[in-house]
Amino acid sequence: MELHDVWFVLIAFLWTGYFFLEGFDFGVGVLTRLLARDRAEKRVLINTIGPVWDGNEVWLLTAGGATFAAFPEWYATLFSGFYLPLLVILVCLIVRGVAFEYRVKRPEERWQRNWETAIFWTSLIPAFLWGVAFGNIVGGVKIDRDMEYVGSLWDLLNPYALLGGLVTLTLFTFHGTVFTALKTVGEIRERARNLALRVGLVTAALALVFLVWTQVDNGDGKSLVALVVAVAALVIALMANQAGREGWSFALSGVTIVASVAMLFLTLFPNVMPSTLDADWSLTVTNASSSPYTLKIMTWLAAVATPLVLLYQGWTYWVFRKRIGTQHIAEPAH
């Protein structure tokens, strides 16, 4: 396997980790409007991800940095062609981080309510736009012979990509709902389990259509296996949720995300951005990659740094593993 193939796999791994971790993170943010009934329950939801949300976003920074270093042509075409939606995602992530930190700085109800509204929208919008972006990456966009995107914003809002956005939005919300059931106690835990069933059924229907569409257009035997694993894991996650096995339900919803992202990258390879104008103009792991020397240096650095990051983040989740409920929320200071 060539180094550019190795880095394609590593970037797929980084995006998979990001969607697995930030997926439930976004989902919990959406639930602050869908599930929480009062201020205390919103605080419970926010506290379930409070210790980990910023660590989850490191995966996005690493994926973006790895793409820039390993496949500069891919990075340039992607970020220039998808400039507006990626800018919206970036602004949402900035506002979301500020909202988490500033929400508790003042006791006024209006102040806190406004920041909670910001958390909801800045979780929902990126969850949708990431699906739109990857739908276009896998489905192909208008790239000319100079490796430049020549389409418009409206070209990105095609049916396949919009369906991909709905799939990531509902799948992340389901992932966040089962995470909430896993991390909470009391009434909010029971309501989260009930909501997970409804969200999961919608997710299953949308994901099945999207993944089958992807398989028909670009799939092969390997991607078909990933499709079957994704659908089976989602169905079993719903069954585990109904049986009150939140740990299994969360793990299997994670398997659904992992298998779905794996399927997208399997259908993409060896392309990194297919061209709908001419297949010969597509960006591939070969023509979009950095020099072999650059990839070699990056590989040694990744071999040292990646295990350390995984160990540290795993330790963080272990420390904050206990369930919480409204009884653990202190009265606000006046």
Side-chain angles (χ1 to χ4, degrees):
M1 181 181 287
E2 300 289 338
L3 280 180
H4 50 66
D5 297 332
V6 171
W7 274 96
F8 180 86
V9 174
L10 289 176
I11 288 172
F13 170 76
L14 291 172
W15 280 110
T16 302
Y18 173 67
F19 287 141
F20 180 94
L21 297 172
E22 193 85 308
F24 71 76
D25 199 324
F26 285 143
V28 171
V30 173
L31 292 179
T32 57
R33 180 71 61 90
L34 300 183
L35 183 66
R37 291 179 175 175
D38 53 32
R39 182 58 39 76
E41 290 189 350
K42 288 184 179 180
R43 292 179 64 188
V44 168
L45 291 174
I46 293 172
N47 286 353
T48 61
I49 59 174
V52 298
W53 68 266
D54 48 356
N56 295 343
E57 292 187 355
V58 171
W59 288 76
L60 173 61
L61 299 176
T62 308
T67 304
F68 172 77
F71 299 99
E73 294 291 350
W74 183 11
Y75 183 92
T77 303
L78 175 64
F79 279 81
S80 60
F82 294 15
Y83 178 80
L84 184 57
L86 293 179
L87 177 63
V88 171
I89 291 175
L90 177 61
V91 171
C92 284
L93 294 180
I94 293 172
V95 174
R96 189 168 179 265
V98 173
F100 280 128
E101 299 297 333
Y102 274 47
R103 177 187 170 277
V104 295
K105 298 301 183 182
R106 290 172 56 179
E108 292 89 345
E109 181 178 348
R110 182 179 179 183
W111 171 272
Q112 295 188 2
R113 185 174 62 249
N114 288 340
W115 286 119
E116 288 163 359
T117 300
I119 290 173
F120 169 76
W121 286 109
T122 55
S123 298
L124 184 148
I125 293 172
F128 175 75
L129 288 181
W130 279 128
V132 174
F134 270 83
N136 280 290
I137 292 173
V138 174
V141 291
K142 295 179 179 179
I143 299 175
D144 65 12
R145 65 173 67 250
D146 296 320
M147 298 185 181
E148 295 181 358
Y149 176 72
V150 293
S152 66
L153 173 63
W154 303 112
D155 292 323
L156 301 178
L157 303 179
N158 56 80
Y160 176 77
L162 292 175
L163 178 59
L166 292 176
V167 170
T168 53
L169 174 58
T170 54
L171 181 55
F172 291 169
T173 303
F174 173 72
H175 197 40
T177 307
V178 295
F179 176 79
T180 300
L182 176 65
K183 288 287 292 179
T184 58
V185 295
E187 183 184 354
I188 192 171
R189 175 188 176 190
E190 296 301 320
R191 294 207 317 274
R193 285 172 53 191
N194 294 332
L195 180 61
L197 175 62
R198 299 195 295 272
V199 175
L201 291 174
V202 175
T203 303
L206 292 173
L208 182 61
V209 175
F210 179 75
L211 295 179
V212 169
W213 190 342
T214 304
Q215 177 66 26
V216 170
D217 281 353
N218 304 297
D220 56 14
K222 294 178 182 178
S223 61
L224 180 60
V225 172
L227 186 157
V228 172
V229 171
V231 174
L234 183 55
V235 172
I236 300 174
L238 286 169
M239 296 169 62
N241 174 73
Q242 288 302 102
R245 304 296 297 272
E246 292 97 345
W248 281 104
S249 183
F250 176 72
L252 288 164
S253 70
V255 171
T256 302
I257 292 176
V258 170
S260 298
V261 177
M263 180 185 177
L264 294 182
F265 277 93
L266 285 170
T267 58
L268 188 60
F269 186 82
N271 294 322
V272 293
M273 283 190 76
S275 173
T276 57
L277 299 179
D278 190 324
D280 293 334
W281 298 344
S282 297
L283 300 182
T284 68
V285 294
T286 303
N287 64 21
S289 68
S290 294
S291 68
Y293 181 74
T294 300
L295 296 178
K296 184 177 180 179
I297 297 297
M298 290 174 60
T299 303
W300 281 108
L301 292 174
V304 174
T306 303
L308 296 177
V309 173
L310 292 175
L311 286 172
Y312 173 77
Q313 193 161 24
W315 176 78
T316 302
Y317 277 90
W318 174 256
V319 170
F320 295 100
R321 66 189 182 279
K322 293 184 179 181
R323 296 176 183 265
I324 63 173
T326 53
Q327 67 270 28
H328 300 116
I329 302 299
E331 291 295 326
H334 296 286

